[in-house]
Amino acid sequence: MVYNLTKGKSKDLIKGGEFKMRKKVSLLLVLALILSMLVIGCGEAEAPADDEEDVAVDAGEDVAELSKVGLVVAGGLGDRSFYDSANEGVEKAKEDLGIEIKVYECRNDPSLYTDQLVQASEYAPIVAVVGHEFYDVVQEIAEEFPDVYYIYVDNEIEGIDNLITISYAENEGSFLAGALAAMLTEEDSIGMVGGKDMPVIRNFEVGYRAGAEYINPDIKIETIFAEDFEDPAKGKEGATALYSGGADIVFQVAGKTGEGVFEAAKEMGKYAIGVDTDQRYINPDVIVASMVKKVGQSIYDTIINIQNDEIEPGKVVYYGLEQGGVGMGYGTEDMKQFVTDEMKAKLDEIEEKILNGEIEVPAAK
Amino acid sequence: MNSRFSSEDLEYIVSLTLSIAVSLIMGALIMIANGRSPMVGYGALIRGAFGGKYSIANTLAKTVPLALTGLATAISFRSGIFNIGGEGQLYLGAFAAAYVGITFTALPKGLGMLLAILAGALVGGLYAYVPGFLKVKYKIDEVITTIMLNTVAVLFTSYLVNYPFAPAAGKLNATEIISEQFHLSRLIRLSTLNTSIFFMGFIALFMYYLMEKTSAGYDFKLVGQNSLFARFGGIDDRKQMLIAMVISGSLCGLAGVFEVLGVHYRFLQHISPGYAWDGMLVALIVKNNPIGVMIMSIFFGALKTGSIAMENATSIPSELVLVIQSIIILFIAGERGFKDKFKEWNLRRRVGQKAGERNA
């Protein structure tokens, strides 16, 4: 059936040649519109709008002082994990170096990445960008603001002079976490709740798996991806499934989602391992340790290096066990300790072996 | 002009304006309760949304996906078939466009782009056809099937970008960058506004024409209001529903296509922060009216851009805008009830006055 593309609701009343004529004309008009739009759509390419009067690009003046830092995060603060760690880094820089800081949250909304990064670049001469999601956007904006330094965390980009990327050896830290889990478990069954099935998180997973199998080759390891970094309910669901399946320790690598893992551990009387920051303080009775990824520390170091002009432009900085970028956190003395001194000694021994190359930790990218 | 609006439309516009005004006042009260000045807050919001070329461009850039998903919702809801699966159709449409963009790299600019757009629309439409078909043929509730198909599409594309289509460079869950000739050009420096706004404008015109000015549009409306009545009136209601569903799916697919071709230049695992849901709100607020959808999309786009600017300038959380949006929706949902109450009160008052006059 072809629709009568004509005015009015009286389709059956109008008949005859005139109507057909009008129908054809309307169809033609529609076609013409489509084509003209296509032409506009493609032709506009030659009209780059580079008026700059509206967009305040005055970064040049501030560069000399380097006294402001903008922090752009892909998710939101308050995860007590990855993003909060980055925030701690700039907060520390604010205290120690007396700089001004401002945080720009994108709340996992890809349509805000460019906007927020532009805002931050206009605000500060140093911009810390946290989240692998910014891979394209940060390259594009870094070229637009050549006088702004970008510290880009969690990915690897080389060759842009005002862009320093920081990459972490999550697999090395997770190797220790896996080894610890294998030593602590009584069921010979452990689990992991990942935020999303993606390269960075898979890098945690292979390390964790390898570490656990290093201690006990027959250990059962299961991973569930929550497909979310912001939803504790999904973390709880995943952890509950793992605990019900026999695991007694679950490693959470899921940001805020991980809070649900801790809840599930508490309710089911099982244990969990935290991530990114030393999370033991959240619930010292179920969180036995944390695998720490020192995002904040690395940002802090890089800010100082930029201020002292000690950076290598366009390079990737690696933070592994060797650089103290990843490691284990056991909370404070007054908390109930699950990890015995022998276990710590064993972990130190493993760390030693990783550093001197005796153990090769697999990586997933 | 007067003949354009029926009295019912006018009443609705009045209640909508009132709802928005009241929700903005409530937003102001929340700001005051938190010790902030609403003047400063709203000032920053308006400046952020409309203060200068760059801000306006950002607002318009946010409008494109909202308008498309809003129109998609409008046509399906108006036809009495509820497409809640916009998100899934958007994801698959976006992926289809990205697939074309990384595969057919030898095509010339115009043709390649046309192919990418058609592929996205087609895939989105087909993905909507399935639940539509199940609905008209087997009476399987489309609300449930479309919602479930969302998850299927999101997880399926998530698998695709993590394994078969994972990019060689960069730890990213996305496809490779689409080749250069598929990029819609940006219009304003530093803003993601691109030529998809023209496509959107055309699609909006077409949808307006289809929904308001053709007999097909009238058929959709009739089927939506009472499908049995429409059937006895000689309209093939099942077919109309199915067509509406497919158009709706295509529009959602297009929303995804433009995100890929115009904004990100690749398919990202989480490319949509819930555009289809926002679009649905937009359509519901204006009762599936295509012109209303356009105006509301710009309004919502402005709220989004403005709220971020407000947060950056005054540190009033941008979530406040979600509260404002929710209050608008609350009022609109209760619109008929409020209106009836008001009319009753007004009638009583008048009757009272008349009675008073007579007594005097």
Side-chain angles (χ1 to χ4, degrees):
Chain A
M1 173 189 165
V2 177
Y3 290 116
N4 304 320
L5 294 170
T6 170
K7 272 194 179 183
K9 300 156 184 180
S10 47
K11 63 167 181 175
D12 295 320
L13 301 180
I14 317 167
K15 276 184 178 145
E18 195 206 345
F19 165 66
K20 274 184 187 158
M21 207 38 215
R22 272 175 54 196
K23 193 165 109 179
K24 271 184 188 154
V25 169
S26 329
L27 271 172
L28 275 175
L29 276 175
V30 168
L31 264 177
L33 256 175
I34 296 181
L35 288 175
S36 65
M37 282 302 166
L38 274 175
V39 171
I40 295 174
C42 308
E44 210 70 26
E46 275 71 59
D50 50 359
D51 344 47
E52 285 166 34
E53 67 271 14
D54 282 339
V55 189
V57 190
D58 53 0
E61 297 157 15
D62 295 329
V63 169
E65 304 156 30
L66 296 173
S67 60
K68 282 182 182 175
V69 173
L71 172 68
V72 187
V73 297
L77 296 186
D79 62 348
R80 298 204 269 195
S81 173
F82 184 57
Y83 299 120
D84 277 2
S85 169
N87 192 38
E88 274 167 30
V90 293
E91 285 285 353
K92 191 170 168 221
K94 180 185 176 185
E95 249 168 55
D96 296 358
L97 312 170
I99 56 171
E100 272 180 57
I101 61 167
K102 202 164 181 179
V103 183
Y104 299 83
E105 295 171 89
C106 296
R107 299 183 170 78
N108 295 311
D109 180 344
S111 71
L112 295 179
Y113 294 165
T114 308
D115 300 2
Q116 293 287 52
L117 199 53
V118 168
Q119 297 293 324
S121 309
E122 282 170 358
Y123 165 76
I126 302 176
V127 176
V129 186
V130 180
H132 68 284
E133 293 93 336
F134 290 100
Y135 186 73
D136 292 331
V137 179
V138 78
Q139 297 185 49
E140 194 187 321
I141 302 297
E143 278 170 21
E144 294 280 347
F145 293 89
D147 296 328
V148 177
Y149 289 99
Y150 293 89
I151 307 168
Y152 178 35
V153 169
D154 232 15
N155 217 326
E156 291 166 21
I157 302 171
E158 280 189 351
I160 298 176
D161 276 351
N162 55 335
L163 180 67
I164 304 132
T165 51
I166 302 176
S167 182
Y168 303 88
E170 295 96 359
N171 53 344
E172 293 178 2
S174 303
F175 192 94
L176 298 180
L180 177 65
M183 287 190 270
L184 283 171
T185 179
E186 283 159 10
E187 314 280 339
D188 281 347
S189 169
I190 59 175
M192 170 177 146
V193 173
K196 281 175 196 163
D197 187 0
M198 63 184 209
V200 177
I201 303 299
R202 285 201 292 272
N203 204 28
F204 279 96
E205 203 221 342
V206 289
Y208 182 65
R209 195 170 281 274
E213 280 167 355
Y214 176 79
I215 297 291
N216 176 4
D218 301 321
I219 198 163
K220 192 177 152 222
I221 309 158
E222 225 179 309
T223 304
I224 287 182
F225 291 104
E227 288 303 322
D228 204 317
F229 281 107
E230 304 280 326
D231 188 354
K234 284 184 187 151
K236 191 171 177 183
E237 203 178 296
T240 306
L242 289 172
Y243 289 134
S244 312
D248 57 358
I249 294 185
V250 169
F251 180 31
Q252 75 93 354
V253 192
K256 198 188 261 177
T257 300
E259 308 246 339
V261 175
F262 302 147
E263 248 176 70
K266 187 180 160 203
E267 278 174 23
M268 302 186 69
K270 304 285 173 95
Y271 300 101
I273 298 177
V275 81
D276 290 342
T277 57
D278 194 343
Q279 294 189 309
R280 283 214 62 191
Y281 72 92
I282 295 173
N283 188 347
D285 293 331
V286 300
I287 304 168
V288 294
S290 302
M291 180 253 155
V292 182
K293 176 171 161 182
K294 292 179 180 153
V295 179
Q297 184 63 40
S298 60
I299 293 177
Y300 176 78
D301 293 348
T302 315
I303 293 173
I304 291 181
N305 287 345
I306 290 175
Q307 285 192 329
N308 299 335
D309 205 14
E310 282 168 2
I311 50 152
E312 283 183 80
K315 277 275 161 14
V316 179
V317 185
Y318 292 94
Y319 273 80
L321 275 179
E322 199 183 335
Q323 295 84 359
V326 291
M328 297 299 293
Y330 305 108
T332 49
E333 290 294 319
D334 53 324
M335 292 173 188
K336 183 179 165 191
Q337 288 296 329
F338 293 91
V339 186
T340 60
D341 288 340
E342 296 100 77
M343 289 178 186
K344 281 182 188 168
K346 179 80 183 161
L347 289 177
D348 286 342
E349 186 194 319
I350 293 174
E351 192 173 333
E352 200 66 31
K353 282 184 179 168
I354 293 174
L355 289 179
N356 64 28
E358 231 173 288
I359 297 174
E360 208 169 307
V361 183
K365 292 289 173 188
Chain B
M1 203 59 201
N2 287 339
S3 61
R4 270 273 160 84
F5 300 109
S6 66
S7 66
E8 203 175 325
D9 283 346
L10 262 181
E11 268 177 20
Y12 189 72
I13 291 171
V14 170
S15 17
L16 184 56
T17 319
L18 276 177
S19 309
I20 294 173
V22 171
S23 61
L24 287 176
I25 291 170
M26 286 199 170
L29 290 179
I30 294 173
M31 283 191 226
I32 292 171
N34 283 294
R36 312 298 179 93
S37 153
M39 294 298 282
V40 173
Y42 282 135
L45 193 144
I46 292 167
R47 257 197 316 283
F50 298 110
K53 209 187 279 179
Y54 171 73
S55 313
I56 294 174
N58 271 348
T59 296
L60 290 178
K62 304 277 181 295
T63 306
V64 175
L66 284 182
L68 289 173
T69 51
L71 288 169
T73 309
I75 183 144
S76 80
F77 280 29
R78 187 181 268 200
S79 312
I81 185 159
F82 295 91
N83 178 15
I84 320 282
E87 203 70 0
Q89 292 139 19
L90 190 154
Y91 270 80
L92 285 186
F95 188 84
Y99 179 77
V100 170
I102 55 179
T103 314
F104 302 101
T105 49
L107 286 176
K109 191 171 171 102
L111 196 64
M113 209 172 269
L114 190 66
L115 184 67
I117 292 172
L118 286 180
L122 192 73
V123 169
L126 276 178
Y127 202 57
Y129 178 82
V130 176
F133 178 78
L134 292 176
K135 159 83 174 178
V136 298
K137 188 90 180 171
Y138 300 109
K139 293 211 164 59
I140 297 173
D141 193 340
E142 79 282 10
V143 173
I144 293 169
T145 48
T146 48
I147 281 194
M148 293 201 297
L149 284 172
N150 278 338
T151 318
V152 174
V154 172
L155 290 179
F156 176 60
T157 51
S158 148
Y159 159 75
L160 289 177
V161 295
N162 272 295
Y163 299 100
F165 289 91
K171 293 182 224 165
L172 209 59
N173 21 358
T175 61
E176 294 285 1
I177 290 188
I178 55 174
S179 93
E180 194 74 39
Q181 72 265 32
F182 290 93
H183 295 199
L184 290 171
S185 28
R186 303 269 166 95
L187 296 173
I188 302 281
R189 184 174 166 265
L190 296 178
S191 163
T192 53
L193 179 68
N194 54 73
T195 47
S196 66
I197 188 98
F198 300 118
F199 288 98
M200 181 209 77
F202 161 68
I203 291 166
L205 275 178
F206 176 78
M207 289 305 292
Y208 168 73
Y209 187 69
L210 177 72
M211 285 169 76
E212 300 287 346
K213 300 290 174 198
T214 65
S215 56
Y218 183 66
D219 291 352
F220 285 135
K221 209 170 181 174
L222 212 57
V223 170
Q225 277 166 359
N226 189 335
S227 64
L228 214 56
F229 176 78
R231 191 184 304 167
F232 288 120
I235 299 170
D236 189 345
D237 59 331
R238 295 198 182 92
K239 192 169 166 187
Q240 289 291 345
M241 278 187 184
L242 201 52
I243 292 171
M245 191 69 170
V246 170
I247 295 177
S248 173
S250 308
L251 288 175
C252 288
L254 283 174
V257 169
F258 293 132
E259 285 300 294
V260 169
L261 300 186
V263 182
H264 303 295
Y265 300 142
R266 51 167 117 212
F267 176 83
L268 307 177
Q269 182 175 349
H270 292 271
I271 195 160
S272 158
Y275 288 132
W277 305 113
D278 288 349
M280 193 179 298
L281 293 185
V282 164
L284 285 175
I285 287 179
V286 297
K287 287 192 172 171
N288 307 323
N289 177 309
I291 299 179
V293 166
M294 296 311 294
I295 297 171
M296 256 312 136
S297 307
I298 295 175
F299 180 65
F300 268 51
L303 278 183
K304 187 164 176 183
T305 331
S307 67
I308 293 295
M310 176 181 79
E311 179 177 280
N312 291 341
T314 65
S315 71
I316 297 171
S318 62
E319 276 85 358
L320 181 75
V321 160
L322 297 183
V323 176
I324 293 175
Q325 287 175 354
S326 314
I327 296 173
I328 298 177
I329 288 155
L330 203 69
F331 277 121
I332 290 303
E335 185 238 353
R336 179 147 308 266
F338 285 128
K339 212 159 71 182
D340 287 349
K341 275 266 175 332
F342 175 75
K343 276 187 180 158
E344 198 184 299
W345 173 79
N346 204 19
L347 209 65
R348 283 211 184 137
R349 195 176 55 108
R350 279 212 208 139
V351 169
Q353 270 178 359
K354 287 256 170 69
E357 276 166 25
R358 206 172 296 153
N359 287 345

